[in-house]
Amino acid sequence: MKAYHVKSGAAGLDGLVRTERPDPLPGPREVLIRLRAASLNYRDHMIVTGHYFTPVTRDTIPLSDGAGEVVATGAQVTRFRTGDRVAGAFFQVWLDGPPSRRHPALGVPLDGTLAEYIALHEDGVVAIPSSLSFAEAATLPCAGVTAWNALMEAGRPVKPGDMVLCLGTGGVSMLALQLAKAGGATVIVTSSSDGKIERALKLGASFGINYKTHPDWEKEVARLTAGRGVDHIIEIGGAGTLDRSYQAIAFGGKVALIGFLAGMTNPNNPATLMMKGGSLQGIGVGSTAMFEAMNRAIETNRIKPPVDRVFPFEQAADAFRALESGDFVGKLVIAI
Ligand SMILES: NC(=O)c1ccc[n+]([C@@H]2O[C@H](COP(=O)([O-])OP(=O)(O)OC[C@H]3O[C@@H](n4cnc5c(N)ncnc54)[C@H](OP(=O)(O)O)[C@@H]3O)[C@@H](O)[C@H]2O)c1
């Protein structure tokens, strides 16, 4: 099969290499998926550039997120049949229940989805909504499930009438915007770009705050909420933004800690969070069961995940360059 791998020890995009691998064969409880689309997450860029903990230690097929159709099933498979439209879950296999250390992820350490085929345990596979194209469905396994877990599963779930703040206009935040809207919330987004804020408003956000022209964006949040603050924050900035998130959160609200794009080392003072009786909730993507619950919500609410661009397979490196440039809203996808 055609595939890409990230070379062992890779520290840059020149470590992303076109390759041929033998077609995988499904084991007794595995399904063989002909992948049709894969999407990029910030994590994938860190992996290719050698910044995801350590550089990869063996040639590894990158990307955790992909969708396609089942072309063969192992003898003991009961959940899927040939022809089913499916996506692989990020963790192989976190079926349900609380998180634990036992579940390896696709794209590192396991081979990922930037390939024609992948064989996965049936419990690490979900049916995709019939309303979505393969490109749209390929955006869901990491970014979508993370957003869903942060809003609907971990800690205090979103209620109709809540205010949700999404930091930035990347994949997790834009899927969170759509899911929060479907849950009856009002959404505020922050962005470095007025043009991206316009696009987020078209996706359903009610307000946008440019965090370059308003570096003290928590004050804008206070203004927009008449001093009350927001009930949920999709926190992708980490240590560099947490203090402002503690200011922006409402009494009893939840800060869902997802990423560290604004730095990992700033000292934070959680006293404000304590005084407000708020919570800080760590998020680690989510389970197969959460993925299925999210897909029901996507189908019911006719949500169309925001695909910014689809790159041909031969131009996979350009998709990584687009991610690096930050010149996108939502998700970047590679057709396979
Ligand atoms: N814990 C988990 O389970 C989990 C799952 C998925 C992702 N993550 C992490 O979450 C983060 C986002 O991932 P992603 O895939 O959604 O990234 P992405 O699609 O690459 O989006 C990144 C966006 O973040 C925004 N941003 C960057 N620095 C910012 C800052 N200082 N303040 C506010 N916004 C900022 C930018 O938005 P603008 O261009 O609009 O300014 C940028 O476009 C990453 O750190 C990723 O590793 C964690």
Side-chain angles (χ1 to χ4, degrees):
M1 66 173 180
K2 63 179 183 182
Y4 282 84
H5 68 224
V6 179
K7 275 196 298 190
S8 177
L13 254 187
D14 54 355
L16 180 71
V17 179
R18 260 301 283 274
T19 186
E20 288 290 325
R21 292 262 185 116
D23 290 358
L25 292 171
R29 290 209 56 200
E30 287 184 338
V31 297
L32 182 65
I33 303 166
R34 169 63 172 95
L35 291 158
R36 295 292 175 188
S39 85
L40 269 69
N41 291 286
Y42 189 79
R43 170 181 184 264
D44 303 309
H45 185 260
M46 294 173 79
I47 290 168
V48 173
T49 55
H51 293 112
Y52 191 67
F53 303 108
T54 60
V56 298
T57 52
R58 66 174 181 88
D59 294 350
T60 306
I61 297 175
L63 305 193
S64 55
D65 294 4
E69 58 210 344
V70 174
V71 289
T73 56
Q76 294 167 25
V77 167
T78 57
R79 278 163 49 84
F80 298 99
R81 291 184 198 167
T82 300
D84 285 351
R85 300 168 79 249
V86 297
F90 180 85
F91 289 119
Q92 298 292 319
V93 172
W94 173 11
L95 185 56
D96 202 356
S100 82
R101 277 176 178 271
R102 286 172 313 205
H103 319 292
L106 296 180
V108 156
L110 305 176
D111 278 329
T113 58
L114 196 50
E116 278 181 295
Y117 296 96
I118 192 168
L120 296 173
H121 191 285
E122 62 173 333
D123 289 342
V125 174
V126 301
I128 58 176
S130 57
S131 49
L132 299 190
S133 66
F134 287 125
E136 290 164 340
T139 68
L140 299 176
C142 178
V145 176
T146 299
W148 175 264
N149 187 5
L151 293 169
M152 305 297 181
E153 304 266 356
R156 173 196 197 283
V158 165
K159 296 195 296 288
D162 278 358
M163 297 283 292
V164 174
L165 174 66
C166 299
L167 300 190
T169 57
V172 174
S173 293
M174 291 301 92
L175 281 152
L177 153 62
Q178 294 179 307
L179 294 167
K181 281 287 292 177
T186 300
V187 179
I188 304 173
V189 299
T190 69
S191 178
S192 57
S193 147
D194 289 342
K196 290 184 179 185
I197 286 174
E198 284 304 315
R199 291 177 64 185
L201 294 174
K202 287 199 178 100
L203 284 171
S206 295
F207 306 102
I209 303 169
N210 186 320
Y211 63 82
K212 294 283 186 206
T213 51
H214 294 285
D216 50 358
W217 47 263
E218 75 282 7
K219 293 187 178 143
E220 288 298 297
V221 172
R223 186 180 65 74
L224 291 169
T225 59
R228 182 177 171 275
V230 291
D231 303 287
H232 297 260
I233 301 182
I234 297 296
E235 227 313 345
I236 51 83
T241 47
L242 265 176
D243 276 333
R244 295 186 193 282
S245 287
Y246 296 151
Q247 300 295 329
I249 201 77
F251 280 80
K254 178 178 83 184
V255 179
L257 181 55
I258 293 167
F260 286 87
L261 290 175
M264 298 188 87
T265 53
N266 301 41
N268 295 115
N269 182 354
T272 310
L273 188 72
M274 180 193 73
M275 302 290 279
K276 290 177 171 175
S279 61
L280 180 63
Q281 175 70 57
I283 299 293
V285 193
S287 65
T288 302
M290 291 178 201
F291 198 164
E292 288 176 332
M294 175 185 70
N295 284 349
R296 287 192 292 275
I298 286 173
E299 186 117 50
T300 304
N301 292 282
R302 313 301 286 177
I303 291 172
K304 287 283 193 184
V307 174
D308 185 293
R309 257 168 292 168
V310 181
F311 293 80
F313 188 77
E314 294 67 31
Q315 292 168 21
D318 288 340
F320 279 85
R321 284 186 199 100
L323 187 85
E324 197 170 56
S325 75
D327 182 20
F328 66 97
V329 168
K331 298 296 295 180
L332 298 165
V333 171
I334 298 168
I336 302 174

